[in-house]
Amino acid sequence: MRPLPEAAARPLLALLGCAVLLGLAGCVAPEGAAPAAPVRPPSAEVLARLPAQAAGFDRFGVQDVAAEDPGAGKVVEYATPRRVAVAQVFLYDLGQPVVTAADLPAEAERAISEATALPVDRTGRQLSVASRSPLLVPGGDFSCAALSGTFGRNQVERQVCLGVVAGRFMRVQVTMPSRGAALADPRAFVQAVAGAARG
C-alpha cells in the first residue's frame, strides 16, 4: 500500500490530531473543510428539565402540537390551583435545523398575531397588545407582549413571551383573569421555566 502524498496527508493528520486532543483549544478543521453542524439536545431532554412547579404553577402533561407536523413541536401545560391562571410552554423549530436569536423578531410577531386572533369556533373573545418589553433570562432575553381583553364577560390578561432554548423556539403563554393578576406572576414563571430548560 503506497503512502499518501504529503499534500493529501496533511488534512488527515490535522483531523487525527483533533481526535487525539479532543476538547483542547486551538484544534481546528483543515482549511476548506465544511464546518460541523451545531449539535442540539433532543426536545424530550429539554422538556424533561422543566420543573414540576414554577412560580405557583403546577406542571401537567406533554402533548404534540400537531402530530402530523414535527416542526410544530411539543407543548407542556401548567396551571395554578383551581386553574385561576393557565400556561402553555411550547418548544418547536418550524423544521429549522437550528434556531438562533436572529430568527426571534419574525417569530415573535407571528406568535403575537396568533395569540390575538379570534378563534373561528368561539365568539366573545378579544385580545389586543397592551405593551411590549424584553425579559431578562440567563442565556438570552425573551421578547414579551402583554395582552388584555375579554373572554365573554370576563376581563383577562395574557402574557406571550418568546426566546431561543437549545436551538429551538420556546414560546410561553400565560392567561388569567384580570382580577386574579395578584395571584400569579407570568414573567417570573417565564424566567423559571426558561432558566430550567436551558439547564
Side-chain angles (χ1 to χ4, degrees), residues 40-192:
R40 64 182 185 183
S43 59
E45 181 182 319
V46 179
L47 293 173
R49 299 173 190 161
L50 295 178
Q53 293 183 318
F57 288 78
D58 295 317
R59 176 180 170 160
F60 292 92
V62 180
Q63 296 180 359
D64 290 321
V65 174
E68 71 283 357
D69 180 9
K74 307 273 188 184
V75 58
V76 180
E77 287 210 30
Y78 280 83
T80 59
R82 299 184 303 280
R83 297 186 69 83
V84 173
V86 296
Q88 293 84 33
V89 179
F90 299 87
L91 189 69
Y92 60 101
D93 60 20
L94 298 179
Q96 296 178 218
V98 178
V99 171
T100 69
D103 301 310
L104 273 180
E107 181 58 17
E109 291 304 314
R110 191 183 77 87
I112 293 169
S113 177
E114 188 177 285
T116 55
L118 295 174
V120 295
D121 58 339
R122 297 179 186 177
T123 58
R125 289 194 172 197
Q126 182 178 4
L127 286 170
S128 59
V129 177
S131 64
R132 298 189 190 208
S133 61
L135 179 64
L136 298 177
V137 180
D141 293 354
F142 271 55
S143 175
C144 295
L147 315 180
S148 62
T150 56
F151 284 7
R153 296 181 179 179
N154 299 316
Q155 295 287 327
V156 296
E157 297 179 3
R158 175 175 286 176
Q159 189 85 208
V160 179
C161 295
L162 193 80
V164 176
V165 172
R168 298 174 179 86
F169 292 115
M170 176 173 276
R171 173 179 165 186
V172 185
Q173 181 171 291
V174 181
T175 308
M176 60 189 179
S178 297
R179 61 177 172 75
L183 302 178
D185 185 340
R187 292 169 72 88
F189 174 75
V190 175
Q191 289 173 321

